[in-house]
C-alpha cells in the first residue's frame, strides 16, 4: 500500500469496513502503538508487561473492530487498553496478596480468607459479565463507575449524546445485574 498518513482515523476505518482488509487496521493500530505503550506503562509500570498488553490490545482490536461501527477510534482504543491493563492488574492482585501473607506480614483469619475469596469471585464474575455487554454499554459503564466520569464527559469522549449515555448506563447496569444473578445462581 502507498503511504496513507494523510488519511484520518475515520477514513482508515471506513476503508476497512468497505474492503474488509486488515491492512487498513494495521495502519491505524501502528499509528497508536506509542500511545498504547504509554497507557500500559502508566498502569502496569513494567516494560515487558506493557509490551505484552499492547499486543493483547492489538489482538482484541482486530477481533472487535469488525463487529462494531466505531466513531472515535482513539478514545475506543484507549478504553480497550485501559481495560486490558486493569484486568491484568486485577489478576495479579491475589498473587501479591498471597505473597505478602506468606511473608508473615499479617496472619489472616479463616474468615478474612473466605471474605477475600468471595470478593475475588465477585470481581471475576463482574469482569466476565461486563464483557458480555455490548460495546456501548461496556464503555459507558466503565467510564462512569470505574473512571468516575460524568455523563457530559462520557458524551464528549464517546460522541454519544447525553441521553444515549444515560440509557447505555441504565441498560448496562440492568443487564449486568441480570448476568450476575444468572451466573451466581449457576454456581
Amino acid at each position: 500500500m502507498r503511504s496513507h498518513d494523510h488519511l484520518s482515523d475515520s477514513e482508515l476505518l471506513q476503508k476497512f469496513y468497505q474492503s474488509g482488509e486488515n491492512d487498513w487496521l494495521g495502519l491505524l493500530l501502528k499509528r497508536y502503538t506509542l500511545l498504547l505503550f504509554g497507557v500500559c506503562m502508566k498502569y502496569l509500570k513494567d516494560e515487558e508487561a506493557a509490551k505484552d498488553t499492547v499486543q493483547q490490545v492489538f489482538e482484541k482490536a482486530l477481533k472487535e473492530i469488525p463487529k462494531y461501527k466505531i466513531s472515535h477510534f482513539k478514545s475506543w482504543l484507549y478504553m480497550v487498553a485501559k481495560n486490558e491493563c486493569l484486568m491484568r492488574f486485577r489478576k495479579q492482585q491475589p498473587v501479591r496478596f498471597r505473597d505478602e501473607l506468606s511473608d508473615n506480614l499479617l496472619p489472616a483469619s479463616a474468615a478474612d480468607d473466605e471474605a477475600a475469596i468471595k470478593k475475588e469471585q465477585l470481581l471475576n464474575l463482574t469482569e466476565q459479565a461486563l464483557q458480555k455487554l455490548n460495546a456501548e454499554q461496556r464503555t459507558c459503564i466503565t467510564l462512569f463507575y470505574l473512571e468516575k466520569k460524568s455523563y457530559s464527559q462520557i458524551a464528549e469522549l464517546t460522541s454519544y449524546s447525553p441521553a444515549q449515555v444515560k440509557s447505555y448506563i441504565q441498560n448496562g447496569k440492568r443487564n449486568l445485574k441480570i448476568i450476575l444473578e444468572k451466573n451466581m445462581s449457576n454456581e
Side-chain angles (χ1 to χ4, degrees):
M1 272 193 217
R2 299 170 308 207
S3 175
H4 297 286
D5 293 340
H6 65 282
L7 295 176
S8 70
D9 293 352
S10 297
E11 290 169 322
L12 288 172
L13 272 175
Q14 192 59 37
K15 288 191 178 289
F16 166 74
Y17 289 133
Q18 289 171 347
S19 70
E21 293 178 18
N22 281 343
D23 289 346
W24 298 111
L25 291 182
L27 290 170
L28 200 48
L29 291 171
K30 183 178 179 185
R31 187 176 281 182
Y32 291 106
T33 302
L34 285 176
L35 171 76
L36 290 176
F37 181 71
V39 169
C40 294
M41 280 297 293
K42 174 184 169 189
Y43 287 98
L44 303 174
K45 298 182 181 13
D46 177 292
E47 190 172 335
E48 288 306 311
K51 287 177 183 177
D52 289 345
T53 305
V54 168
Q55 193 61 37
Q56 290 171 339
V57 170
F58 283 170
E59 290 170 12
K60 187 166 191 159
L62 289 171
K63 286 184 214 167
E64 296 293 320
I65 292 171
K67 297 178 188 176
Y68 307 104
K69 290 289 183 196
I70 299 165
S71 54
H72 287 82
F73 182 77
K74 185 177 179 181
S75 300
W76 178 85
L77 191 61
Y78 175 86
M79 287 305 305
V80 171
K82 184 173 181 180
N83 288 340
E84 285 294 316
C85 289
L86 291 174
M87 284 192 293
R88 185 178 188 124
F89 188 70
R90 279 191 198 122
K91 287 177 186 173
Q92 292 172 347
Q93 288 306 304
V95 173
R96 289 182 186 161
F97 181 69
R98 282 192 296 271
D99 287 349
E100 288 176 11
L101 289 178
S102 68
D103 290 341
N104 298 320
L105 292 177
L106 286 175
S109 70
D112 289 342
D113 285 346
E114 191 174 315
I117 290 169
K118 285 186 180 202
K119 185 175 181 180
E120 185 62 30
Q121 288 172 337
L122 183 60
L123 273 175
N124 287 336
L125 286 172
T126 304
E127 208 170 275
Q128 291 168 7
L130 192 59
Q131 295 306 313
K132 291 180 182 176
L133 296 178
N134 67 40
E136 294 85 1
Q137 290 175 358
R138 185 172 52 245
T139 299
C140 289
I141 292 278
T142 301
L143 288 169
F144 187 73
Y145 289 104
L146 298 179
E147 293 191 31
K148 307 291 186 210
K149 301 284 187 197
S150 68
Y151 284 12
S152 60
Q153 289 171 318
I154 296 169
E156 198 175 298
L157 282 170
T158 61
S159 79
Y160 305 141
S161 72
Q164 286 175 309
V165 169
K166 182 178 179 180
S167 175
Y168 290 143
I169 290 172
Q170 288 176 341
N171 292 334
K173 190 173 159 184
R174 183 189 68 241
N175 290 338
L176 263 180
K177 184 178 178 184
I178 291 168
I179 294 167
L180 282 170
E181 286 173 352
K182 182 179 174 187
N183 287 347
M184 290 174 141
S185 68
N186 290 339
E187 286 195 347

